[in-house]
Amino acid sequence: MTDWRARSPKDRLRLPAQPMPEQRPDARVRNMNEVALGFSADQARAEAARCLQCANPKCVAGCPVGIDIPRFVAAVADGDFASASAVIREKNLLPAVCGRVCPQEDQCQAACAVTKALKSAEDSVSIGRLERFVADWELGHGYVLPEKKPSSGKSVAVVGSGPAGLTVAGDLVRMGHAVTVFEALHRAGGVLIYGIPEFRLPKEIVRREVEYLERLGVEFRYDWVVGKTVRIKELLAEHQAVFLGAGAGLPNFLDVPGESLCGVYSANEYLTRTNLMRAFDFPASDTPLIRSRRVAVIGGGNVAMDSARMALRCGAETVSIVYRRSEKEMPARREEVHHAREEGVLFSLRWAPTRVLGDERGWVAGIEVIRMELGEPDASGRRRPAPIAGSERVLDVDAVIVAIGNQPNPLIAESCPAIRTTKWGGIVVDPNTQRTSMKGVFAGGDVVLGAATVILAMGEGRRAARAIAEYLEQGDWNGAPDPIPDE
Amino acid sequence: MFRILEKGLLAPRVNRYVVHAPQVARSWRAGQFVIVRPREDSERIPLTIADGSAETVTLVVQEVGKTTAVMADMQAGERLADLCGPLGVPAKIEKVGGVAVVGGGVGIAPAYPIAQAHKTFGNHVIAILGARTRELLIMEEEMRRASHETVIVTDDGSRGEKGFVTTALQRLLDLGRTIDEVVAVGPAVMMKMVAALTRDAGIPTRVSLNTIMIDGTGMCGGCRVAVGGRTKFVCVDGPEFDGHQVDFDLMMRRQAMYLDHERGTYEDYLETRRCRLDATREPSRR
Ligand SMILES: Cc1cc2nc3c(=O)[nH]c(=O)nc-3n(C[C@H](O)[C@H](O)[C@H](O)COP(=O)(O)OP(=O)(O)OC[C@H]3O[C@@H](n4cnc5c(N)ncnc54)[C@H](O)[C@@H]3O)c2cc1C
Ligand SMILES: Cc1cc2nc3c(=O)[nH]c(=O)nc-3n(C[C@H](O)[C@H](O)[C@H](O)COP(=O)(O)OP(=O)(O)OC[C@H]3O[C@@H](n4cnc5c(N)ncnc54)[C@H](O)[C@@H]3O)c2cc1C
Ligand code: SF4
Ligand code: SF4
Ligand code: FES
């Protein structure tokens, strides 16, 4: 390969973006394997050679954990994948995950100079795909465990093993603190294992990232529901600090008649059955799933796309996304919508459900929807949908998956009134230190942000870990939200 | 962790397990449950805590499908893959005066700690125990200790009075006994009938619902029921609810959702169990 460094920036801008090899749509809807297959080494080097190695790289600022992108990309272009991996690991504990599921087009890649120069978001340097390539290479070649500071004699309890909790655990254990993670489920990873489907994020990858933390010395306790099995006060008696990373797991329902008919699922239930409990393997796995023929998925976000594509793979003949606004307003990633379309998911846009119809046995027999028209933009800048009277019609479906968002699980706050929460149940924190209103307790991720993203949860985890380390050293508790007065 | 310390048969297909689970034993209260995965590849199933000691919890499990069958085939000394809890809101125990605690079938097991708690709290407890037939009646001795009076009914009259728990409850009311509150735990139909009876009599009634669950922590909504016209999650808002507000018909339909599906796996499992038994009975015949 010619030395890529010798090329002028103008020259580099002429290099074509490397396409991501994918399973063909007609084949992949019949299996659970990953859709995107990953770059070959040659492809990765060719893609990396497109980076302009900006002196003032905007991409880094676009990454919530601040990976030194030009440095790792240069190492990939050099073919020095081990160094690339070390650069990423400095900042990102879950590169194989982020490389796959980050909304890169809104983050690192949105800010990339190549995007600007070519005026095309599709032609940015594929930072996420390169990150994935390096992480997968590392998984195949073994990693070197990073240095750990000598033991501080202090210990921290982490509640929840999603991306936020895992990041806190990884950072603190490297600083020499003892870390115990308490997880309610029987496996670690949070949404990464129970929500995001196998065909987008193989569970084996999550397992290996967790194993990496175990080898660093993090202790995992499964089947521990904090607030039930143990209270936060009790955790504070045994640990010097507590981090709450319990996520936003409480599913919203439609609040229309018929929402509890058999065959109406929350996306969480549908995905948990299929992912965590592997119901798609039923009866080889013990957890059952009803084979539905015609499925309506309500919602327009990533969770809706995942549910729709999962339903196809579980044998549904037709799957329709029912969304009350237009495609432009859909919060899902473009790529997910594109993949869903390719696989044959249908889109009923500007329709909203008004009721679910049932048969005499209490099963879903259809869903009544009403046409929506888009009015003036609301506070979020999206145009507010309003129903058109008399435009109801019935879709012939036998299952409905509701994917209209999640809220923080109220368990923790209920069991610990000293922790201040917002109206919608999010935990209130100081944005610089992630401190809550209870001394020694920090929080981050979806439990603070509401349903957000993996990398934002990790960003909060990183900030919390730094603040926890400071607190363990200095013990002062300034700037936190006001404590709740004792009654 | 989660080692089965004792296992014994209480009735045909009903086993009692004492499981080592100190973190659950420490804090459980009457009315709470655990989620169990007997083995690594098992479903997650909810089971009520029927009793406990400093380091153990007691579970009483009726074999009705594959997962409970797998559990039935486990022996003392083996470990359950997972046991998570205590989950759910504890039963509401208040000083009310006279309480009738109605347990039907394996529902007697979860009713036991509730009766005990009411007795300790100073209420006068009348236990009404119902079973299809005498050999299915469990925990009679324990219930006698946990209550002041015990009434037993069987569908066929093979033990105690002949009839249903509602027959016995109605008779107590007809006799003018003081019953200020009723607690009913058992099959959904039984709870529905009890609630219908006490609604007319105007007696507050608490029922403990047993919907299908997955996570047990409020994350999936699979356990939802309608109570007073509003959607509630049994695992975090319950399992105990006001029996007069529960839509039992809806709940029963949801309970039966996977019936046809599960039957197949259960039958397959019974088949492998038969083969295993044959193999142990007739060693080295080849
Ligand atoms: C279907 C789906 C698809 C998604 N796709 C994407 C995507 O493509 N890209 C992206 O960036 N983001 C995506 N997201 C969002 C992303 O997964 C979340 O923002 C992220 O996982 C939040 O991380 P977290 O650590 O805050 O919480 P979670 O991942 O929710 O983890 C919380 C953990 O805490 C545990 N827990 C909860 N309560 C307790 C308790 N009381 N005691 C002990 N443990 C407890 C839970 O069991 C869970 O394991 C998706 C989400 C879903 C549901
Ligand atoms: C809060 C709670 C506490 C419970 N406590 C106990 C207990 O202490 N002892 C005990 O034996 N059982 C208890 N159950 C019921 C127990 O969880 C189910 O029997 C078990 O999940 C069945 O699993 P399976 O795989 O063996 O059978 P499956 O194959 O899942 O089901 C077999 C049959 O049982 C029905 N069924 C499935 N789940 C339930 C359910 N939750 N309630 C009623 N019928 C069901 C199915 O429709 C089917 O007909 C409890 C349930 C709940 C929700
Ligand atoms: S972690 Fe996400 S945002 Fe950061 S560089 Fe990787 S893909 Fe981009
Ligand atoms: S902004 Fe784009 S071109 Fe510049 S260093 Fe980052 S990835 Fe390379
Ligand atoms: S079992 Fe999942 S919410 Fe209750």
Side-chain angles (χ1 to χ4, degrees), chain B residues 2-7 16-20 71 74-80:
Chain B
F2 311 144
R3 188 184 290 281
I4 301 171
L5 302 179
E6 285 173 38
K7 180 198 169 199
R16 175 177 174 276
Y17 303 80
V18 176
V19 184
H20 186 241
M71 195 156 164
M74 292 181 77
Q75 304 305 331
E78 289 189 84
R79 285 166 198 273
L80 302 172

Side-chain angles (χ1 to χ4, degrees), chain A residues 274-333:
Chain A
T274 45
N275 273 314
L276 178 69
M277 306 309 292
R278 305 184 68 78
F280 60 81
D281 253 353
F282 182 84
S285 79
D286 278 355
T287 302
L289 186 75
I290 305 291
R291 304 266 162 222
S292 309
R293 283 187 316 107
R294 302 169 61 84
V295 180
V297 179
I298 317 297
N302 287 325
V303 183
M305 299 307 140
D306 283 346
S307 307
R309 298 171 68 196
M310 186 57 105
L312 279 180
R313 284 162 176 77
C314 292
E317 289 156 22
T318 59
V319 178
S320 310
I321 295 271
V322 176
Y323 180 58
R324 62 198 184 124
R325 306 185 205 232
S326 64
E327 174 149 5
K328 232 180 29 249
E329 280 91 10
M330 273 200 309
R333 290 179 67 188

Side-chain angles (χ1 to χ4, degrees), chain B residues 135-154:
Chain B
E135 59 170 357
L136 293 176
L137 184 73
I138 59 168
M139 297 178 71
E140 184 185 331
E141 272 320 301
E142 286 92 332
M143 273 309 235
R144 283 193 190 279
R145 265 182 275 124
S147 59
H148 298 90
E149 300 168 52
T150 307
V151 181
I152 291 172
V153 288
T154 47

Side-chain angles (χ1 to χ4, degrees), chain A residues 255-469:
Chain A
D255 208 13
V256 300
E259 73 173 6
S260 290
L261 287 165
C262 302
V264 183
Y265 308 91
S266 74
N268 280 1
E269 176 178 359
Y270 196 79
L271 292 170
T272 302
R273 278 186 182 275
T274 45
N275 273 314
L276 178 69
M277 306 309 292
R278 305 184 68 78
F280 60 81
D281 253 353
F282 182 84
S285 79
D286 278 355
T287 302
L289 186 75
I290 305 291
R291 304 266 162 222
S292 309
R293 283 187 316 107
R294 302 169 61 84
V295 180
V297 179
I298 317 297
N302 287 325
V303 183
M305 299 307 140
D306 283 346
S307 307
R309 298 171 68 196
M310 186 57 105
L312 279 180
R313 284 162 176 77
C314 292
E317 289 156 22
T318 59
V319 178
S320 310
I321 295 271
V322 176
Y323 180 58
R324 62 198 184 124
R325 306 185 205 232
S326 64
E327 174 149 5
K328 232 180 29 249
E329 280 91 10
M330 273 200 309
R333 290 179 67 188
R334 291 298 104 200
E335 184 180 319
E336 302 309 325
V337 178
H338 170 70
H339 277 149
R341 273 231 160 79
E342 274 187 341
E343 289 168 9
V345 172
L346 306 172
F347 287 77
S348 294
L349 299 172
R350 294 207 287 120
W351 289 97
T354 45
R355 63 192 168 116
V356 187
L357 310 171
D359 64 16
E360 65 291 347
R361 290 163 46 244
W363 277 88
V364 173
I367 183 166
E368 186 189 80
V369 293
I370 189 164
R371 189 79 177 149
M372 304 299 271
E373 98 197 305
L374 296 182
E376 294 304 303
D378 63 10
S380 73
R382 294 184 303 177
R383 292 168 63 195
R384 186 202 291 282
I388 303 174
S391 64
E392 291 89 349
R393 54 174 253 218
V394 171
L395 305 181
D396 169 24
V397 297
D398 57 6
V400 175
I401 303 173
V402 182
I404 54 167
N406 288 324
Q407 284 169 32
N409 187 324
L411 254 184
I412 290 197
E414 266 169 21
S415 74
C416 191
I419 291 178
R420 201 178 277 280
T421 53
T422 64
K423 270 205 307 293
W424 50 271
I427 295 181
V428 177
V429 297
D430 167 49
N432 296 314
T433 59
Q434 306 294 128
R435 289 175 181 179
T436 68
S437 59
M438 186 174 182
K439 188 167 184 215
V441 181
F442 301 73
D446 278 7
V447 77
V448 168
L449 299 168
T453 63
V454 171
I455 194 70
L456 285 175
M458 292 179 65
E460 294 221 317
R462 161 104 348 122
R463 193 154 55 227
R466 218 181 302 124
I468 291 171

Side-chain angles (χ1 to χ4, degrees), chain A residues 185-187 223 276-277 287, chain B residues 2 34-47 67 70-71 74 79-84 214:
Chain A
L185 293 174
H186 57 266
R187 207 159 286 155
D223 301 321
L276 178 69
M277 306 309 292
T287 302
Chain B
F2 311 144
V34 291
I35 293 266
V36 169
R37 282 199 322 149
R39 297 203 185 273
E40 262 313 314
D41 50 3
S42 295
E43 228 180 317
R44 297 168 64 94
I45 59 165
L47 297 167
T67 314
V70 166
M71 195 156 164
M74 292 181 77
R79 285 166 198 273
L80 302 172
D82 293 282
L83 184 148
C84 173
I214 305 176

